Amino acid sequence: MDYKKPALGASAGRRVKTLKGESLGAVQEVCIERARLLTESYKATESEPMILRRAKALYRVLEKMSIFVRKEGLLVGNQAGRLRAAPIYPEYTIGWIVEEIDELEKRPGDRFVVAPEVKEELLDICGWWKQRTVHERCLKTLPDEVKRAYDIGVLSARGNMTSGDGHIILDFPKVLQVGVGGIIDEARNASDALDMTVGDSVHKKEVLESVVTAYGGVLFFIKRYMELAGRLCETENEERREGELGMIRDTCRALLDGPPRSFREAVQLVWFMHLISQIESNGHSMSLGRFDQYMYRFYKRDREKGVLTDEDVVELLACLWIELFGVIKIRPWSHTRFSGGGPTYQNLTLGGVTQEGEDAVNELTLLCLDSVSLTGLPQPNVSARVSPKNPRAYVQKCVETIKLGFGMPAMHNDELMIPSLLNRGVSLEDANNYAIVGCIEPIIPGKHGYRAAGMSFTNFPKVLELALNDGKDPRTGIRLHRGTGDLSTFESFDEVMSAFKDQMAYYVNLRIRGEHVIDRAIECLVPDPFCTGLVFDCIGRGKTPKEGGALYDMVTGPETGVTNAGNALAAIKKLVFDERLITGGKLLKALETDFEGADGEQVRQMCLNRAPKFGNDDEYVDGITSETYMVFIRELEKYKNARYGRGPLGCISYPCTATISGNVPSGFVVGATPDGRKSGEPLAEGCSPYRGTDLLGPTAVIKSVSRMPNILITGGNLLNQKISPSALASEEGMGKLEDLIRTFFDLKGWHVQFNIVSTETLKEAQKKPELYKDLVVRVAGYSALFTMLEPATQDDIIARTVHTLS
Amino acid sequence: MKATDTKAVIGRVFEIERYAINDGPGIRTLIFLKGCGLACVWCSNPESQSSHPQLVHYVKKCLRCEACVSICERDALSLESGGIVIRRDRCDGCGACVSVCNTGALVLLGKSMTPEEAFSEVLKDEPFYRRSGGGVTFSGGEPLMQGEFVLRVAKLCKKHYIHTAIETCGFASWETFERLLPAIDLFLYDLKEMDPERHNEYTGVDNDLILENFERLAGTGKEIIVRVPVIPGHNDRDENFEMIIDFIRRHVPGCRVDLLPYHRLGKPKYDRLGMPYIPDSTDPPSPSRMESLKKEFAQAGFQVSIGG
């Protein structure tokens, strides 16, 4: 592979700048069109089977919604009537829309404009949806016990009841192979072949016909863009743009006729498919899979024919990433406030090994990285798979991208993920082919069912709090499962651990019961025919993914605060039982009062400083943290998900620490904890050490994380690390970061992502030192905790950081 | 087993820093040893100068509970309006106060360690050394003041195929150097000032022994990286650097040179140790000055980096 970073010409640079500026500058607004068209269709089809109603509704949206071609765009396909407008999906929930509609414009962040006539119509539409949404079905069918567990905050599944499943990767290679028409033919043939006198053929036929209808809508949608581009082309005065519009028109025409023949057509088709999946449903984490693999044959063919340059590729990819950024999801404020910037977690997976286990890095892999560096937008969420077989040039390109400071790519370890998937029964070929969905969760692209990640949140410190209080929640007073005593009565650490196990067993059971009910509601009320057409083997089985149509169906939901719970248990063991520095009763009292008063503060300081913390390469606390997670894992392994026995392989749940920003709200409901964390403070992020408690640098953190049961955490184990720009200033420094990553992977670490500590961060840390206790700054031959330095010294470091980056 | 191997050797360590990336090849662990024969006015690690344990107090962390005051048998501590005051003439570094402090506001710098204990800390990052070609770097202070301890730890490292480096100002007997030669792979050798009088003024000692050791070390063929601090108002003079270039070109032509710009990060440490901070008015050298120095050294055939 002879790769040279392409220089972008002036016109391409201008285009990228214009499109990016337009997308960033657009005012976010609510778009009524989808809700209107969907509801009209639903009203007209009330007597029909749900899956057909959904197909017809999607068809109608694709047929009637406003479409446009961006002034300088090379790709077409818009999610809503205007740029960065958010469609509404009333079939999942309407409650928060009705409640928050007047507030949407007044939010401190992620504001949405709602025109008065839109507001009126939307409220009217919501009126029709009353008693018809997934959320209301769930609230009616969930057992009381489960709902009360949600109230306590020990479990959380709100997102699952109020939006689509998402967390899936369509079978892009297939649609690139057979084209849209090929999917229709396949569904039609399967439908025709059904013996209508046996089994549930009637339902299968409904599913298959719904696929035919949905993809008919897709063709209609593409045809509309072809016509629009054609009309614009005719009236365009500028020759350059006329040519581009003609190309868009011809690209759409080619996609109507059959599978794509060129790289450009293939990119357009991938975008249409990815976009439509997000018009069909509003689940987030819809991901692109292994783009650098399935697009490579198009790239190579066009390059060999001499009809495509690397510069064209970077320009086109930049356009695609800007379109991805344009996918908007409007969410309730309770969710939005903790996920600023409206993340959509559209993951792009690069590198790693091929299905056959060989080095998969190619020119397109590097072009993807260079194009992402060029746009520097929060989407796509880039994941770099790393295998020992990958060339150094690739990993160094990743480090170069990391150095730019937007947190990408996240680095993933093939050598752990592949065996972990094998252990779950995935075939070697499919395990080699894994791709990341959402943040860090590996799934089998095109063959894995819905919501492979993002099931219920399980709040570990909350489970511990219940265990320390005889099963009673101090915040709400609810007691669902009586324990065996409280912290003042336990006589040994073993008794503490068994109380924790007991509560965990109870709540894992509730979690699974809740998930089965919610899955049932989604299966019945919001089947997705478009998605069904591009998940293997839904067409073969005549089933939606939710009914068991996928080859693999394994799910995971994040566990929050695992390291807090580990630290807390280690503190109890060390302070109460090993060293007897404090009695259980006194510690419990301090927790109840949130470490109030001078005595309370002394207890807190003791908890913070005299008990070891995860992230410092300390076997004592690392061992307890690992065991804390194992308590949960052993319980979770006892259950199957709602598709068990209905076709897919697996049908299990496995652990995952992709907490996204859920660690913040999860902390709200948890009182003071024995790790010294105060009531309501955030929990640790992923499996990262709790903020400010890892004091020995990244190698110690890596050693601690490597002690977790990583191979069993098939849903992904998330580590965020901060790094100072000076560490990456020289080529030597960049090489050392690669060595750090590679060693982490040698030690069977799962995932790591680096945030470069910017000047802004340092300035912020000066203002709010309590939030940046763990910030280590490094200068020649010397390192220090930033917040412990005096202001003048901090200023010196800030000045130096600016120098290093410039 | 030889008789010397059984003799108890205790090192006085004031910090072990992992993931050090600026003091030798690869990812390294730095062992900072207490005690130095020099007292450079610009020293950024003043806690390294004395070979005795030293108590420091972090005012920001203190809850003013006075647990430390009560437990001190030597009446070395008192609570004043500005926080705990340490009477250094009374403190013998026993550490009783540290053991009752919940907040970590009191820290005793200078831990006694056996070579095996220090080595077990080094070993923790072995996978990182293996991957990156890193290892251990002895620093200080002047590690040669604890030559026997360094030798023991370094021998353990070599037995485990771990790369060893030492950061030295060169102020030690040649015999100490000689004993270490088989166990140390790389010398990071400080050259600060060529003018003997000025050297004496800035560091408290003459530079003749330092330069002599350098010549002899170079003669052994051991790998040397020369480290030159750049301290405006002190050694930052063109003629000084010209002399340094001249000197090292004669002995280790083409070697690697790290130019270390002066920084003020040591200042708060002086305050905590109750020591006066002398170069208060000294500013760090400008980036352009560093670049022009880098150019000069590079033109003389050295591989130069700023900041190590």
Side-chain angles (χ1 to χ4, degrees):
Chain A
M1 185 176 57
D2 179 27
Y3 179 78
K4 213 170 128 237
K5 183 176 177 173
L8 212 56
S11 80
R14 249 195 324 272
R15 183 195 315 282
V16 171
K17 207 173 154 210
T18 306
L19 291 172
K20 187 178 161 182
E22 225 175 65
S23 288
L24 285 169
V27 177
Q28 295 194 133
E29 57 181 299
V30 168
C31 176
I32 190 80
E33 291 187 2
R34 182 189 180 277
R36 178 198 293 150
L37 295 165
L38 179 98
T39 310
E40 284 170 5
S41 177
Y42 262 66
K43 283 179 182 170
T45 56
E46 284 210 72
S47 61
E48 298 183 41
M50 186 52 87
I51 182 116
L52 280 166
R53 296 179 71 192
R54 297 277 295 162
K56 287 180 179 175
L58 178 65
Y59 193 104
R60 188 172 172 83
V61 173
L62 297 175
E63 180 191 12
K64 301 273 186 195
M65 67 175 274
S66 307
I67 63 164
F68 54 84
V69 177
R70 294 179 70 172
K71 215 164 129 253
E72 283 296 320
L74 294 178
L75 296 171
V76 285
N78 45 283
Q79 187 200 14
R82 285 195 215 191
L83 200 59
R84 282 188 79 77
I88 299 289
Y89 301 74
E91 64 268 43
Y92 298 100
T93 186
I94 48 159
W96 76 268
I97 301 172
V98 175
E99 279 163 29
E100 296 183 27
I101 197 159
D102 291 328
E103 305 299 318
L104 291 172
E105 277 176 62
K106 301 179 204 153
R107 289 174 169 186
D110 289 297
R111 260 177 240 113
F112 286 87
V113 171
V114 196
E117 67 277 8
V118 169
K119 194 181 293 182
E120 197 183 325
E121 187 182 350
L122 190 54
L123 286 174
D124 186 50
I125 289 172
C126 288
W128 186 81
W129 279 97
K130 221 163 182 286
Q131 300 291 328
R132 288 181 159 102
T133 65
V134 172
H135 192 200
E136 283 163 299
R137 169 70 63 86
C138 290
L139 293 179
K140 285 228 166 63
T141 49
L142 278 168
D144 199 41
E145 240 175 315
V146 174
K147 281 192 269 189
R148 305 234 304 162
Y150 296 158
D151 291 342
I152 294 176
V154 62
L155 299 172
S156 167
R158 190 185 154 84
N160 312 39
M161 301 187 257
T162 56
S163 70
D165 273 324
H167 301 87
I168 202 165
I169 299 171
L170 303 177
D171 194 347
F172 290 108
K174 178 176 171 182
V175 71
L176 290 170
Q177 183 69 43
V178 304
V180 177
I183 307 288
I184 294 177
D185 292 344
E186 193 189 336
R188 194 169 276 144
N189 292 341
S191 174
D192 290 347
L194 286 170
D195 176 350
M196 296 309 294
T197 64
V198 298
D200 49 2
S201 287
V202 172
H203 178 66
K204 284 182 183 172
K205 198 168 193 71
E206 289 162 6
V207 171
L208 295 167
E209 276 177 14
S210 78
V211 173
V212 173
T213 303
Y215 282 80
V218 172
L219 287 177
F220 202 101
F221 194 52
I222 297 174
K223 184 161 159 271
R224 292 178 65 203
Y225 282 103
M226 179 190 76
E227 288 166 357
L228 176 60
R231 282 198 302 276
L232 291 169
C233 182
E234 278 164 25
T235 56
E236 176 63 51
N237 296 323
E238 198 194 339
E239 200 181 321
R240 172 192 63 92
R241 188 58 188 160
E242 189 192 332
E244 287 170 6
L245 288 164
M247 204 157 55
I248 293 171
R249 176 199 57 211
D250 296 345
T251 300
C252 291
R253 181 175 296 135
L255 296 178
L256 289 177
D257 291 344
R261 302 157 306 177
S262 67
F263 184 77
R264 187 177 296 275
E265 287 172 12
V267 171
Q268 179 64 65
L269 181 60
V270 167
W271 170 237
F272 272 136
M273 297 294 107
H274 183 64
L275 171 69
I276 292 167
S277 74
Q278 299 187 86
I279 292 174
E280 178 175 54
S281 162
N282 68 344
H284 65 69
S285 301
M286 303 297 295
S287 297
L288 289 171
R290 306 188 71 188
F291 186 87
D292 63 340
Q293 304 304 302
Y294 59 72
M295 293 296 287
Y296 186 61
R297 66 184 173 97
F298 295 99
Y299 166 80
K300 203 160 171 349
R301 196 193 305 156
D302 284 7
R303 290 286 281 134
E304 277 166 9
K305 282 202 293 197
V307 296
L308 184 80
T309 65
D310 279 356
E311 189 193 330
D312 296 336
V313 173
V314 168
E315 184 182 25
L316 203 54
L317 293 182
C319 289
L320 177 61
W321 311 146
I322 293 169
E323 292 309 320
L324 246 60
F325 174 67
V327 173
I328 305 293
K329 303 203 188 297
I330 185 169
R331 303 175 171 116
W333 180 238
S334 61
H335 184 289
T336 301
R337 60 187 289 212
F338 302 111
S339 52
T344 45
Y345 314 102
Q346 301 169 78
N347 212 299
L348 168 72
T349 304
L350 302 174
V353 295
T354 61
Q355 285 194 323
E356 297 75 32
E358 294 304 319
D359 173 24
V361 170
N362 57 45
E363 299 91 313
L364 195 52
T365 315
L366 305 183
L367 287 165
C368 283
L369 285 166
D370 276 330
S371 59
V372 166
S373 300
L374 180 71
T375 50
L377 289 166
Q379 299 297 329
N381 199 6
V382 187
S383 294
R385 288 177 46 171
V386 179
S387 156
K389 291 186 178 170
N390 294 146
R392 178 121 209 245
Y394 162 63
V395 185
Q396 276 301 309
K397 174 73 74 184
C398 291
V399 172
E400 256 176 55
T401 313
I402 287 170
K403 193 177 166 178
L404 297 175
F406 60 110
M408 288 187 228
M411 309 299 284
H412 295 265
N413 184 7
D414 268 15
E415 294 283 279
L416 181 67
M417 292 194 171
I418 293 167
S420 185
L421 287 163
L422 285 173
N423 180 50
R424 302 299 183 182
V426 175
S427 74
L428 178 59
E429 189 175 61
D430 284 340
N432 281 339
N433 198 37
Y434 80 86
I436 302 297
V437 82
C439 304
I440 59 161
E441 306 91 319
I443 72 165
I444 313 310
K447 296 181 176 176
H448 210 117
Y450 249 140
R451 204 182 270 280
M455 297 298 281
S456 328
F457 280 67
T458 306
N459 188 328
F460 272 41
K462 191 76 206 176
V463 175
L464 179 63
E465 189 178 28
L466 291 160
L468 299 180
N469 286 284
D470 200 18
K472 185 171 167 183
D473 177 34
R475 190 177 63 95
T476 59
I478 298 172
R479 177 185 273 141
L480 289 177
H481 178 66
R482 183 176 278 283
T484 49
D486 65 35
L487 184 54
S488 70
T489 65
F490 295 137
E491 287 177 3
S492 67
F493 182 65
D494 285 348
E495 284 188 25
V496 179
M497 267 324 256
S498 36
F500 177 68
K501 279 181 203 164
D502 180 46
Q503 292 294 328
M504 187 62 93
Y506 175 78
Y507 284 104
V508 169
N509 176 278
L510 282 194
R511 165 180 163 161
I512 302 294
R513 284 167 59 193
E515 288 179 354
H516 275 252
V517 172
I518 295 168
D519 272 353
R520 177 77 190 149
I522 293 171
E523 181 184 335
C524 295
L525 294 182
V526 285
D528 291 330
F530 173 78
C531 185
T532 299
L534 277 179
V535 173
F536 184 79
D537 184 27
C538 288
I539 292 179
R541 292 181 190 161
K543 286 179 170 185
T544 67
K546 253 351 213 194
E547 292 165 345
L551 181 62
Y552 297 105
D553 197 310
M554 300 182 253
V555 300
T556 175
E559 287 80 59
T560 53
V562 178
T563 50
N564 295 95
N567 285 343
L569 283 162
I572 293 171
K573 180 163 161 46
K574 184 106 181 163
L575 304 175
V576 178
F577 298 103
D578 289 0
E579 296 188 355
R580 298 186 178 278
L581 289 171
I582 185 170
T583 63
K586 203 173 161 203
L587 179 54
L588 187 61
K589 185 89 201 149
L591 298 177
E592 276 166 10
T593 60
D594 196 17
F595 303 113
E596 198 182 70
D599 284 352
E601 185 56 22
Q602 282 288 349
V603 174
R604 190 172 86 93
Q605 292 297 332
M606 184 193 285
C607 291
L608 281 173
N609 300 307
R610 303 183 78 163
K613 299 286 177 284
F614 179 85
N616 295 290
D617 194 6
D618 181 306
E619 285 179 36
Y620 185 97
V621 59
D622 295 351
I624 290 174
T625 305
S626 184
E627 175 57 21
T628 303
Y629 213 170
M630 284 307 299
V631 166
F632 168 83
I633 292 171
R634 289 183 203 111
E635 287 306 318
L636 194 66
E637 278 172 353
K638 294 177 182 167
Y639 302 98
K640 302 287 187 191
N641 73 29
R643 269 76 61 202
Y644 182 65
R646 300 167 74 185
L649 295 169
C651 296
I652 51 172
S653 299
Y654 39 60
C656 165
T657 59
T659 57
I660 48 171
S661 49
N663 61 313
V664 178
S666 297
F668 282 171
V669 296
V670 184
T673 38
D675 56 342
R677 179 194 142 278
K678 294 194 82 169
S679 178
E681 285 186 357
L683 306 179
E685 206 182 14
C687 74
S688 309
Y690 190 49
R691 58 181 196 195
T693 61
D694 54 319
L695 300 172
L696 300 179
T699 59
V701 171
I702 282 171
K703 289 282 298 292
S704 286
V705 173
S706 76
R707 290 198 178 98
M708 294 183 93
N710 289 301
I711 188 123
L712 294 179
I713 310 174
T714 315
N717 202 14
L718 183 149
L719 175 63
N720 278 348
Q721 282 282 278
K722 291 196 186 80
I723 196 147
S724 89
S726 64
L728 295 178
S730 65
E731 216 168 279
E732 199 181 335
M734 288 168 65
K736 287 181 185 184
L737 185 68
E738 176 180 346
D739 293 335
L740 186 77
I741 295 166
R742 297 256 195 196
T743 315
F744 181 44
F745 289 172
D746 290 342
L747 296 174
K748 300 290 173 265
W750 188 276
H751 150 277
V752 64
Q753 190 168 330
F754 294 93
N755 295 309
I756 304 297
V757 181
S758 64
T759 313
E760 289 70 39
T761 310
L762 293 174
K763 286 183 178 160
E764 186 70 8
Q766 274 185 314
K767 281 185 227 148
K768 297 177 185 162
E770 67 283 358
L771 297 180
Y772 294 91
K773 286 188 292 189
D774 56 340
L775 192 58
V776 175
V777 281
R778 281 165 190 273
V779 273
Y782 183 85
S783 75
L785 282 175
F786 184 75
T787 54
M788 292 307 290
L789 301 168
E790 56 182 46
T793 318
Q794 291 176 342
D795 289 341
D796 273 10
I797 290 178
I798 291 172
R800 188 167 294 189
T801 305
V802 174
H803 171 63
T804 328
L805 275 177
S806 59
Chain B
M1 194 180 276
K2 278 185 270 175
T4 51
D5 286 342
T6 55
K7 204 176 81 191
V9 175
I10 298 292
R12 186 79 77 192
V13 177
F14 75 87
E15 198 184 328
I16 293 183
E17 183 185 320
R18 297 165 67 172
Y19 192 59
I21 53 174
N22 296 312
D23 302 275
I27 294 169
R28 310 189 71 83
T29 295
L30 284 183
I31 300 185
F32 288 94
L33 295 163
K34 235 167 140 6
C36 187
L38 274 57
C40 306
V41 291
W42 54 76
C43 181
S44 66
N45 287 339
E47 72 275 37
S48 70
Q49 294 177 7
S50 157
S51 30
H52 300 291
Q54 281 167 294
L55 189 63
V56 289
H57 181 239
Y58 293 84
V59 181
K60 277 189 191 172
K61 292 185 180 178
C62 182
L63 291 177
R64 306 172 71 88
C65 71
E66 294 188 80
C68 54
V69 176
S70 325
I71 203 158
C72 181
E73 291 180 353
R74 298 172 69 95
D75 261 349
L77 301 172
S78 59
L79 180 66
E80 311 289 342
S81 58
I84 297 292
V85 171
I86 306 163
R87 267 174 252 174
R88 299 198 177 268
D89 51 331
R90 293 194 185 169
C91 174
D92 66 349
C94 75
C97 53
V98 175
S99 72
V100 294
C101 180
N102 282 329
T103 65
L106 283 168
V107 175
L108 193 63
L109 295 172
K111 197 178 170 194
S112 298
M113 292 182 112
T114 64
E116 290 73 23
E117 282 168 342
F119 177 65
S120 74
E121 288 298 310
V122 171
L123 211 49
K124 285 182 175 173
D125 276 352
E126 202 210 344
F128 299 91
Y129 314 147
R130 204 163 51 218
R131 185 49 99 168
S132 67
V136 66
T137 299
F138 299 96
S139 184
E142 172 48 61
L144 292 180
M145 285 186 74
Q146 300 188 43
E148 188 59 28
F149 177 76
V150 170
L151 181 63
R152 299 281 181 108
V153 181
K155 273 186 174 171
L156 287 167
C157 289
K158 292 321 300 172
K159 223 165 123 183
H160 288 78
Y161 304 95
I162 293 171
H163 184 267
T164 55
I166 190 165
E167 197 177 12
T168 177
C169 70
F171 190 69
S173 70
W174 175 247
E175 288 68 38
T176 310
F177 271 98
E178 221 170 13
R179 273 172 59 75
L180 280 173
L181 285 176
I184 299 289
D185 298 312
L186 167 69
F187 287 79
L188 303 162
Y189 206 113
D190 280 14
L191 289 177
K192 305 168 172 44
E193 174 62 62
M194 295 304 281
D195 180 311
E197 276 175 39
R198 285 179 187 266
H199 195 278
N200 204 323
E201 183 191 335
Y202 300 149
T203 72
V205 301
D206 287 348
N207 61 3
D208 48 357
L209 179 64
I210 293 170
L211 299 179
E212 194 187 313
N213 282 335
F214 189 91
E215 286 186 41
R216 292 178 118 172
L217 184 65
T220 65
K222 271 280 167 191
E223 192 189 351
I224 298 176
I225 294 177
V226 177
R227 312 197 106 190
V228 183
V230 180
I231 322 289
H234 295 84
N235 76 336
D236 183 7
R237 304 179 326 279
D238 288 340
E239 85 269 12
N240 181 39
F241 296 127
E242 279 159 25
M243 282 191 287
I244 290 179
I245 289 173
D246 233 36
F247 179 73
I248 53 178
R249 195 157 46 180
R250 262 184 288 137
H251 301 292
V252 276
C255 78
R256 174 170 167 167
V257 176
D258 292 345
L259 296 173
L260 310 177
Y262 167 71
H263 61 74
R264 284 180 287 221
L265 296 164
K267 186 176 182 302
K269 296 182 179 182
Y270 281 84
D271 304 341
R272 282 195 290 273
L273 289 160
M275 291 165 70
Y277 188 63
I278 303 162
D280 222 351
S281 56
T282 303
D283 285 323
S286 68
S288 60
R289 172 64 176 162
M290 293 308 296
E291 284 303 325
S292 83
L293 282 178
K294 182 178 175 181
K295 218 164 140 192
E296 270 176 51
F297 276 84
Q299 273 168 0
F302 299 106
Q303 306 160 43
V304 199
S305 75
I306 297 174

